[in-house]
Amino acid sequence: MDTAVRRRRRRTWKLLVPGFIVLYIAMIPLNSVLETEHVEVFPFFKWKLFTTIPDWETFEYALVVDSIDGEPPVETFYLIPSADVRDWKALRRVAIACNKDRGCDEAVTEVLHPIIRRALGERNVDFSIIRADVDLRDLQDNIADFADGRLTRAELLRPDKLIVQWNTDTGRIDTALDAG
């Protein structure tokens, strides 16, 4: 090969590698401005196809009824996630507010009390908001039971953290504590 051709190739590589690194670093802040729903940074395209696949181990929030009119339920009674999907979303917003301690009391009173009243009537209810781990492999292994209704979402929950306890008549019972 000609030495001039080698020098041009070497010069091209010397410019190409640092240029690629500078371009990649410049795209990081630009990416956060242009697209807020993904956190991955790839230089030329997003891996959107793979970002919607959930982890096998995940968590969700649950509303557990601890007692109704002073009597504990016969078995663990999850009002949510056994309720409507809108209620799951409302519970998630309240749980996040309580985790951050930003308007927890108002959120519980305005959002969860109507859900509890709708489900259980005008009764004195002690309830807890918890965070529970969920292993989606359990669902995968029992998908036929889930489809038939013999298995519910609540049966997949493994309580992890107590966020707040509440009474519909007296208000907050306890603040954030770890359940385990």
Side-chain angles (χ1 to χ4, degrees):
M1 253 200 238
D2 188 17
T3 57
V5 172
R6 281 190 206 158
R7 270 189 252 159
R8 267 185 282 166
R9 283 187 181 168
R10 192 176 314 140
R11 186 176 33 199
T12 302
W13 280 105
K14 283 183 178 178
L15 294 174
L16 187 63
V17 171
F20 178 80
I21 292 171
V22 168
L23 176 66
Y24 189 81
I25 291 172
M27 288 184 71
I28 292 172
L30 183 62
N31 180 59
S32 65
V33 170
L34 295 177
E35 190 168 345
T36 58
E37 64 184 273
H38 297 288
V39 294
E40 304 96 354
V41 177
F42 295 97
F44 302 113
F45 58 90
K46 298 266 182 209
W47 289 84
K48 288 183 181 180
L49 174 65
F50 302 107
T51 58
T52 57
I53 297 173
D55 293 332
W56 286 108
E57 301 257 342
T58 186
F59 73 91
E60 69 178 56
Y61 298 104
L63 187 129
V64 184
V65 175
D66 300 320
S67 72
I68 301 170
D69 293 330
E71 295 292 322
V74 176
E75 58 185 46
T76 304
F77 178 40
Y78 293 101
L79 185 58
I80 301 173
S82 298
D84 193 355
V85 173
R86 289 182 312 241
D87 296 342
W88 295 343
K89 291 179 180 180
L91 175 64
R92 182 173 181 81
R93 283 195 309 267
V94 172
I96 290 169
C98 289
N99 263 337
K100 294 180 179 180
D101 203 21
R102 293 186 184 153
C104 178
D105 296 346
E106 297 83 19
V108 169
T109 304
E110 294 171 8
V111 177
L112 293 184
H113 277 218
I115 293 170
I116 292 169
R117 295 289 186 216
R118 184 178 69 228
L120 302 173
E122 294 291 326
R123 298 163 83 182
N124 182 4
V125 179
D126 288 346
F127 61 93
S128 303
I129 301 172
I130 65 165
R131 179 184 156 160
D133 290 330
V134 178
D135 190 343
L136 296 177
R137 287 175 286 235
D138 295 341
L139 177 61
Q140 184 182 24
D141 295 341
N142 300 302
I143 195 71
D145 292 340
F146 189 72
D148 293 346
R150 292 183 302 226
L151 178 71
T152 64
R153 277 178 71 97
E155 293 176 67
L156 301 174
L157 301 177
R158 293 187 311 263
D160 175 46
K161 179 182 177 185
L162 173 65
I163 296 172
V164 69
Q165 288 183 308
W166 205 271
N167 179 282
T168 53
D169 292 341
T170 61
R172 188 185 292 226
I173 297 172
D174 202 10
T175 57
L177 297 171
D178 284 330

